């Protein structure tokens, strides 16, 4: 059974002309790491929060979001609490904001499992110590306040906290952007280690393609609330089948490449207040033709590689033409 | 800063402030219009010799600083002088009246804390009509001066319904009787502050609810009532605690009006009478005591703040 299976997720927010998430399909298998990438505002955070049914006020969701076979969108309050305590947990972006500064780190770690009677307080404390050691801290941290430890350490606490209920799925929403560069790498590799050691699946949200390539088995690329391309990480980065993915790759600074190759993507993502017809990326796309503005492309598998899908009318032109250009440059 | 250094520094500061306050209190009385000697004579005309005798007895003809330092020296030994009006030691007057005022203020404080926190929390958590009710109710509470509240409460619960006595403190009739006598005055005294504290609590909780850690706690399956207690109410306590100084000083000032309205024989009523009769030593003593209590409360609040918010270190103000 897939650990996370999102099908046809459509999310509407008040005062918007079109759904902010529009038919999102996303799956994460057991022990698998999937990276969700895309520009700012594409809907990555909303997607990952929907998995825990953390919806903005007034949001209406359609479709199914199954975690370990259970649809999150139709859960009762009790089932939802159970999901959040024991099945899926989120590592948030900014640990300073996410952890109550007035309560001890030990309280943060144990409160959910103790209050939901998953563990006794003694067992919860033992588990907290075990996890603190697993993330490279000591039991002394239990009695500290968040303000007494560094941001990197606090993000380790956050990771330990997410594992308290022994979840099947971890969601990490840009878990390193609030940290300084040196701790970023540590936290990412720690997250990978923890996923391995505790056997969870991981949905990793980032706009850092290098990071996505390094950590994930598969990658899904999001644009304007849709998954435009999805596939095995190595394959997708080597042979992108959507012009948006290609453009993202070209705009990513690559330390190995000579300078001057970086190209920012022209134009802006579409505003939520305007309706969309056809492909949302068409106005910014170098390959766009008449069909792109008339007909929304459906996700289609790459020839010979059904795991690699892209929603583009011109996927087949992309592989040859744009790659040829890069070689010329 | 360690605890001992902080405490010593603050106590020294308090001593200096009290000294300054004593000077102001004494000086204000000295400059106030009206002559205590003529009050002592009770309006009777007296021979210049008799007047002089009185002035000598009370040292009224000494230079200002001589009077001030004599008074200060005595105060430091616990001697506030003799009341001009009651012809007894001020310290005795205070000893007999302070317990009544303390009980009254204590009861009012209890009402303020319990009702203020509960109403503020209720409005913030429930929202909607409940919140509107709290807002309207607290607006009335804040807008009603305590002496108006006193008259209303007296009229309704003492005169009309007869549930409580309309005046007196019941002192000397046992603790139960005192509580019974002081209930209406305590309610009158508390009303404004209940409204104030409810407002402060409500807005501090609404602000705390916006914190991301609250959404995070929810995302981890923490049950809602625990979120309110551990992450919202708990985080609102800091701002609430900082109003403690204001609450206590308001109680002390308003007790003057309320005690007079209910003829409660506490130090508030004593202060009011002493002020109108130019009973200098009594006014000075009570003023100093009120200032001292106020400063002590602020000192205690400063000691408590780091316990409520671990980001605050002793002696430093919150940045959060
Ligand atoms: N609570 C909300 N109320 C209204 N609009 C929202 C809310 N949260 C997000 N949005 C809108 O939904 C869109 C998607 O937001 P989301 O936060 O999911 O993007 P993102 O891909 O995570 O971007 P970023 O990389 O900046 O984190 C944005 O246009 C944003 O303005
Ligand atoms: Mg985001």
């Amino acid at each position: 059974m897939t650990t996370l299976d999102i099908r046809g997720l459509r999310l509407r927010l008040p005062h918007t002309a079109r759904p902010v998430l529009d038919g999102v399909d996303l799956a994460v298998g057991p022990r698998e790491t999937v990276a969700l990438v895309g520009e700012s505002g594409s809907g990555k955070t909303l997607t990952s929060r929907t998995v825990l049914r953390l919806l903005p006020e007034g949001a209406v969701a359609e479709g199914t979001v199954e975690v370990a076979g259970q649809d999150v969108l139709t859960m009762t309050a009790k089932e939802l609490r159970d999901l959040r305590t024991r099945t899926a947990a989120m590592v948030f972006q900014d640990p300073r904001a996410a952890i109550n500064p007035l309560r001890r780190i030990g309280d943060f770690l144990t409160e959910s499992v103790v209050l939901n009677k998953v563990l006794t307080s003694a067992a919860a404390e033992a588990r907290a110590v075990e996890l603190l050691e697993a993330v490279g801290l000591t039991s002394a941290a239990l009695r500290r306040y968040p303000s007494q430890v560094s941001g990197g350490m606090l993000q380790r606490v956050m990771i330990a906290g997410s594992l308290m209920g022994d979840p099947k799925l971890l969601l990490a929403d840009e878990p390193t952007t609030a940290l300084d560069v040196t701790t970023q790498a540590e936290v990412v590799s720690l997250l990978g280690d923890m996923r391995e050691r505790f056997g969870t699946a991981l949905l990793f949200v980032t706009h850092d393609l290098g990071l996505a390539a390094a950590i994930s088995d598969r990658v899904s690329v999001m644009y304007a609330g849709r998954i435009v391309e999805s596939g095995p990480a190595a394959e997708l980065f080597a042979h992108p089948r959507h012009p948006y993915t290609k453009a993202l790759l070209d705009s990513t600074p690559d330390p190995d490449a000579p300078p001057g190759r970086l190209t920012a993507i022209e134009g802006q993502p579409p505003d939520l207040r305007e309706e969309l017809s056809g492909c949302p990326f068409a106005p910014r796309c170098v390959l766009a033709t008449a069909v792109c503005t008339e007909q929304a492309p459906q996700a289609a598998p790459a020839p010979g590689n059904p795991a690699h899908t892209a929603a583009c009318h011109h996927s087949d032109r992309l592989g040859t033409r744009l790659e040829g250009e890069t070689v010329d440059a | 800063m360690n605890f001992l250094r902080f405490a010593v520094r603050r106590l020294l500061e308090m001593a200096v402030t009290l000294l300054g306050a004593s000077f102001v209190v004494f000086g204000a009385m000295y400059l106030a219009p009206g002559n205590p000697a003529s009050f002592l004579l009770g309006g009777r005309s007296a021979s210049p010799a008799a007047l002089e005798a009185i002035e000598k007895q009370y040292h009224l003809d000494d230079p200002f600083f001589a009077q001030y330092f004599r008074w200060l020296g005595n105060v430091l030994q616990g001697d506030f002088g003799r009341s001009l009006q009651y012809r007894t030691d001020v310290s005795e007057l205070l000893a007999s009246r302070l317990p009544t005022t303390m009980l009254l203020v204590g009861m009012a404080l209890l009402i303020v804390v319990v009702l203020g926190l509960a109403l503020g929390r209720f409005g913030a958590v429930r929202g909607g009509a409940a919140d509107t009710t709290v807002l309207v109710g607290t607006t009335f509470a804040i807008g009603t001066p305590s002496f108006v509240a006193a008259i209303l409460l007296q009229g309704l619960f003492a005169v009309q319904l007869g549930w409580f006595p309309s005046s007196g403190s019941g002192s000397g009739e046992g603790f139960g009787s005192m509580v019974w006598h002081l209930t209406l005055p305590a309610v009158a005294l508390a009303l404004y502050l209940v409204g104030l504290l409810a407002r402060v609590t409500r807005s501090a909780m609404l602000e705390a609810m916006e914190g991301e850690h609250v959404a995070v706690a929810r995302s981890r399956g923490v049950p809602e009532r625990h979120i309110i207690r551990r992450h919202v109410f708990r985080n609102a306590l800091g701002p609430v605690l900082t109003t403690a100084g204001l609450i206590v000083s308001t109680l002390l000032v308003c007790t003057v009006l309320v005690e007079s309205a209910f003829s409660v024989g506490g130090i508030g009523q004593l202060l009011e009478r002493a002020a109108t009769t130019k009973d200098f030593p009594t006014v000075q003593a009570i003023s100093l005591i009120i200032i001292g209590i106020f400063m002590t409360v602020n000192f205690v609040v400063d000691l408590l703040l780091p316990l409520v918010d671990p980001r605050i270190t002793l002696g430093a103000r919150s940045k959060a």
Side-chain angles (χ1 to χ4, degrees), chain A residues 49 52 54 81 84-85 90 92 94 97-103 108-109 111-112 115-116 145 147 161-162 164, chain B residues 211-224 226 229-232 234-236 307-311:
Chain A
R49 291 175 78 103
L52 291 173
L54 295 168
R81 255 206 328 275
R84 291 170 173 180
T85 328
M90 174 104 74
F92 288 83
D94 179 2
I99 301 178
N100 189 343
L102 306 189
R103 300 177 59 82
F108 169 76
L109 292 173
E111 71 173 347
S112 171
L115 293 173
N116 285 297
Y145 286 99
S147 54
S162 70
M164 281 297 293
Chain B
E212 195 190 325
H213 64 87
V214 173
V216 170
R218 212 165 269 142
S219 85
R220 303 176 79 221
V222 177
E224 198 60 27
H226 290 284
R229 209 184 60 217
R230 294 162 167 247
H231 296 287
V232 178
R234 172 70 184 77
N235 289 49
L307 297 181
V308 170
D309 187 342
R311 291 166 300 179

Side-chain angles (χ1 to χ4, degrees), chain A residues 40-41 43-46 48 93 173-174 205 207:
Chain A
S40 189
K44 306 181 297 292
T45 296
L46 285 177
S48 64
Q93 186 169 345
D173 186 358
E174 306 195 21
V205 172
H207 49 230

Side-chain angles (χ1 to χ4, degrees), chain B residues 165-182:
Chain B
S166 64
S167 66
S169 68
S171 85
E173 297 164 28
F175 185 74
S177 170
M178 277 182 85
V179 169
W180 186 50
H181 276 83
L182 293 179

Side-chain angles (χ1 to χ4, degrees), chain B residues 155-176:
Chain B
L156 183 60
F157 293 103
V159 178
Q160 293 287 326
L161 297 169
W163 293 351
F164 294 97
S166 64
S167 66
S169 68
S171 85
E173 297 164 28
F175 185 74

Side-chain angles (χ1 to χ4, degrees), chain B residues 293-317:
Chain B
I293 292 176
F294 177 63
M295 283 169 42
T296 308
V297 168
N298 279 330
F299 177 56
V300 171
V301 167
D302 281 352
L303 290 183
L304 288 180
L305 271 177
L307 297 181
V308 170
D309 187 342
R311 291 166 300 179
I312 300 175
T313 46
L314 273 178
R317 287 292 168 184

